Amino acid sequence: MKLHGIHVPHKKNTAQQQPVRMAPPKTVAIPMSMHIGKPAKPVVRRGDTVKVGTLIAQADGYISAPIHASVSGTVQKMDEITMTNGTKVPCIRIESDGAQTPDESVAPPDVYDLNTFIEAVKNSGSVGLGGAGFPTFVKFVTKDLSVFREVIINAAECEPYITSDTRTMLDRADSIYRGITALKRYLGVKTFIIGIENNKPEAIAKMRGLAAKTEGVTVRVLPAMYPQGGEKVLIYNCTGKIVPRGGLPLDVGAVVINVTTLAFIAEYLETGMPLVEKCITVDGSALQAPKNVIAPIGTSIADLLEAAGGCRTEPAKVLYGGPMMGIAAPLPDSPIMKNTNAIIAMDAKEAAPPKTTSCIGCGACASHCPLRLDPRAVATAYRLDRAEELEKLCVDLCMECGCCSYVCPARRPLVQTNKLSKLMLRQYQNQQKEGNR
Ligand code: SF4
Ligand code: SF4
């Protein structure tokens, strides 16, 4: 079986450029919810002095992640910040002293077995850096090591524009190697597959060099076909295995880890410096000159754009992430978060909403859906308020990749309707559960 998908313009404008490290901004705003799960709980107060790597918020609950100061300076304010979904979450604002002094407590963790490894990954504040934002340590928690049959390293980076993972492969291949070594030692996994699209020849060469000196590592070169980096798509294309509906990669023995997340874990094990900065692709039609910028977490988008050389025109829309799955930033001072891998600033032409017309029943949306869903039928069920039908249509499987909207000749907002349909289905299923109690 061949999984569908689409060809999108690659626009990897920054792949050849070394990332530039920006100077610390005057202030950073660090939201307590930069991960999937419960927001972190602040452990500092207004007026406290912090250094780079100081714990400022602890994980609250099982699916949560601690947060650390990304600049040295003083806690200026504790307030709230508006997230991309419109909710408000607590936020710690730090005024930088410009010195970037590391916290004295930063030291390599003592890791000698699976439990101490998991604890270290948890304390590092690591979340899925490819955009998912899922706390990384949770993937490794098990009572039975035999469940881990293979690790798939997600190096596909299939969204247009984004090259931050490509730069990881080119600039931090040693860290990827050490990350693989750590997973071999603590998880006992022997098989590693690096899944990478064929539009990154230099990164492929680097990864093949790494595989040549590491037993059990293969590089799977995949067609540059969006959404090759979608977790279930990648598992299927690398192993031929299908994750069951409602299941997890571990149900087919796989752990999927983003290549930059893996490099970060290796670096944390060596230095103890938690996740305080990100390499971010800054691109889009409004930009003067696109760049990859290493920025402290909490840097405002406005400061990041400035550090990248500024815009040639006022951006009409700024996206967190790429143009296929990216989400509009609510404000120019919205911050860079742990899972931000790109900021795309669009001019008015690029950002203009498409003119929508009636469905012509061409079926292109269904034939290009990588998960073989039927977005046109989903839209009809949603319009008619038929949650049961949405369940039959498996809308819960939709990964919101946007392929259906992209290929629709009528420019229908199919992915947006899918998101609303998933919400409708969840509410329906919750009501069903309550009714059965
Ligand atoms: S957004 Fe959902 S329905 Fe549309 S192509 Fe992607 S997975 Fe399929
Ligand atoms: S691609 Fe658009 S026009 Fe074609 S069937 Fe799907 S919704 Fe209708």
Side-chain angles (χ1 to χ4, degrees), residues 358-366 376 404 407-412 414:
S358 301
C359 172
I360 56 168
C362 66
C365 49
R376 179 179 45 152
C404 47
V407 296
C408 175
R411 314 301 305 274
R412 310 220 35 97
L414 298 168

Side-chain angles (χ1 to χ4, degrees), residues 6 10 17 55 80 97 111-112 162 179 184 196 208 214 228 254 294 296 327 329 336-337 343 359 393 395 417:
I6 54 171
H10 300 156
Q17 295 174 26
L55 180 76
E80 287 188 326
D97 60 12
V111 174
Y112 47 85
I162 308 177
K184 274 187 177 180
I196 181 167
R208 281 191 169 143
T214 324
Q228 196 66 263
I294 299 171
I327 297 182
I336 297 311
M337 290 179 277
I343 290 293
C359 172
L393 290 165
V395 72
T417 308

